[in-house]
Amino acid sequence: MIGIIGAMDIEVNGITEKMTDTKTRTISGVRFVSGKLGNKECVVAKCGIGKVNAAITAQTMILEFSPDKIINTGIAGSTSNKTHIGYIVISDSVIQHDMDTTILGDKPGTLFLPDGTVTDIPCSRELIAELEKACIKTGEKNYIIGKTATGDQFISGNDKRSALNEKFGAVACEMEGGSIGQVCYVNKVPFAVLRSISDSMSDEDDAVEYSVFSRSAAEKAINIITALVYDEN
């Protein structure tokens, strides 16, 4: 079974609409839709925006549905001149940029887990390869593999975006992937993050770009996720 998590309706509805034999359960306030996409068993959830919502959803999905792998899909902001609106970012690792205990001597982004500390959480190499294959299958040439920075902030302004690139090497920023990655890492569930850029490093207003391009960006990510799942059938 593949688990798919997005923060908003526009990031998951296009997937659930394609599913058959669906069943719906609401657990911890989160609506989980399970069924088949093609011949593949899937469970899809809209977690809501932010790290805590995402973590609740990922942990509940693992405990209640036991997915073999989890993919976080949706939109993101660019933190690099290499990622423009509509570009696809396949994360090779995630970091939580708003975790900061540097005053105590820790590295920026350090997470404190039951068995120690970690900063970057690696995504599944197998899933990265599958997502890249799905991009090629759909004819998507504008994709990049790189680090995603997660935090409970909508990052706006080129200075703040550039700072995430310089400090962490991130090519995109968003608000859920890092916490989903942390939950999957602790539970030893392979995971990946696929994001489509909705707002960029430009002189345009970030909120305006987001409102104009978020839906089309989300649809592009949905098409790639769908191609990946159908490839597994």
Side-chain angles (χ1 to χ4, degrees):
M1 174 180 277
I2 299 177
I4 301 169
I5 299 173
M8 301 180 291
D9 286 328
I10 61 170
E11 296 173 330
V12 298
N13 282 356
I15 299 173
T16 56
E17 287 167 2
K18 294 179 173 69
M19 294 172 64
T20 59
D21 302 329
T22 57
K23 297 179 181 179
T24 301
R25 292 174 62 193
T26 300
I27 312 167
S28 301
V30 180
R31 180 173 175 263
F32 294 88
V33 180
S34 60
K36 290 185 177 180
L37 191 56
N39 294 318
K40 186 70 179 180
E41 295 286 344
C42 295
V43 57
V44 181
K46 181 189 81 170
C47 62
I49 295 170
K51 287 167 42 179
V52 175
N53 285 331
I56 289 170
T57 302
Q59 187 63 62
T60 303
M61 181 178 283
I62 289 168
L63 292 175
E64 295 291 332
F65 296 92
S66 302
D68 303 312
K69 61 193 77 172
I70 289 177
I71 301 173
N72 173 222
T73 184
I75 57 179
S78 172
T79 57
S80 167
N81 289 321
K82 295 180 180 179
T83 45
H84 307 291
I85 288 174
Y87 274 47
I88 293 295
V89 174
I90 302 169
S91 301
D92 57 14
S93 64
V94 292
I95 191 164
Q96 295 181 41
H97 66 78
D98 57 352
M99 281 295 295
D100 188 352
T101 54
T102 53
I103 195 171
L104 303 176
D106 301 314
K107 293 181 180 180
T110 296
L111 302 174
F112 299 87
L113 306 181
D115 59 353
T117 61
V118 66
T119 52
D120 297 20
I121 296 179
C123 297
S124 162
R125 291 184 179 180
E126 181 180 343
L127 275 174
I128 292 169
E130 290 177 4
L131 287 168
E132 185 173 15
K133 183 180 177 182
C135 284
I136 295 169
K137 182 178 179 180
T138 60
E140 180 57 61
K141 297 179 180 179
N142 295 321
Y143 68 88
I144 185 170
I145 299 172
K147 187 186 298 184
T148 300
T150 301
D152 280 329
Q153 304 164 20
F154 182 94
I155 303 298
S156 64
N158 289 346
D159 290 345
K160 291 180 180 179
R161 293 173 186 268
S162 295
L164 291 179
N165 181 267
E166 292 167 7
K167 190 173 185 178
F168 299 107
V171 297
C173 58
E174 39 76 270
M175 300 176 70
E176 295 83 29
S179 55
I180 292 171
Q182 180 178 346
V183 171
C184 290
Y185 183 84
V186 169
N187 286 276
K188 295 181 171 54
V189 176
F191 84 100
V193 178
L194 178 85
R195 296 282 182 149
S196 181
I197 298 297
S198 61
D199 40 289
S200 65
M201 294 274 290
S202 71
D203 294 328
E204 301 298 324
D205 184 278
D206 294 316
V208 171
E209 281 192 340
Y210 172 85
S211 65
V212 171
F213 296 108
S214 58
R215 184 169 297 277
S216 60
E219 288 172 356
K220 182 175 282 193
I222 286 169
N223 289 338
I224 293 168
I225 294 291
T226 302
L228 179 150
V229 175
Y230 281 150
D231 248 11
E232 292 200 355
N233 289 329

